[in-house]
Amino acid sequence: DLSTGIIYRRRIATCQNVIPEILRKVSVLKVPDIYLEEESWLNMQKRNMAMKTHCLTWTEYASLSEESVFRESLENPNWTDFTQKGRISVTGAGLLNCVLEAFAQSFLKQGVRK
């Protein structure tokens, strides 16, 4: 956007399905790839970037979303402050709802630690 200087991007990411084989016995979970939509807003003047991601796969059974903000640290302009919020909800999978939510939560926490 020339008036604000904000660079907007929207893209689709293809991720390998990381659900354990034992859970892929359920046919709907037996897909090779998972698709995510990511939107980002980069403001070079304010030195920050916001991102929103949500899952496009299994939308009738699960909802997964994440919001991240990267901004210049108040302590040191060469550092980056990073904040992230995420939400996982599984419905329509019966007794597997809780198991799938726990797996997704554990997997995403590992990614955050990295």
Side-chain angles (χ1 to χ4, degrees):
D1 183 346
L2 295 177
S3 65
T4 63
I6 295 174
I7 299 170
Y8 170 77
R9 289 195 175 119
R10 181 175 170 228
R11 60 187 176 174
I12 305 295
T14 303
C15 303
Q16 182 179 355
N17 186 351
V18 295
I19 292 179
E21 276 300 320
I22 190 76
L23 295 176
R24 289 195 211 184
K25 302 294 182 203
V26 178
S27 63
V28 73
L29 299 177
K30 194 172 187 159
V31 296
D33 299 313
I34 297 168
Y35 299 99
L36 305 171
E37 180 180 62
E38 177 186 89
E39 293 180 282
S40 66
W41 297 264
L42 175 62
N43 187 329
M44 293 299 285
Q45 293 171 346
K46 293 185 178 179
R47 295 189 59 161
N48 67 34
M49 182 172 73
M51 296 175 68
K52 289 186 179 183
T53 307
H54 67 272
C55 193
L56 299 173
T57 305
W58 302 313
T59 55
E60 65 274 17
Y61 301 103
S63 146
L64 180 132
S65 62
E66 179 258 336
E67 295 181 22
S68 300
V69 176
F70 302 82
R71 65 173 45 103
E72 181 180 302
S73 172
L74 296 175
E75 285 183 56
N76 182 334
N78 294 319
W79 296 351
T80 302
D81 284 335
F82 170 65
T83 57
Q84 183 178 46
K85 292 189 273 185
R87 183 178 160 280
I88 303 165
S89 176
V90 179
T91 58
L95 298 173
L96 286 178
N97 286 354
C98 184
V99 173
L100 292 171
E101 282 181 1
F103 171 76
Q105 184 179 28
S106 171
F107 181 77
L108 293 173
K109 280 184 179 179
Q110 288 176 13
V112 168
R113 285 188 198 116
K114 289 180 184 179

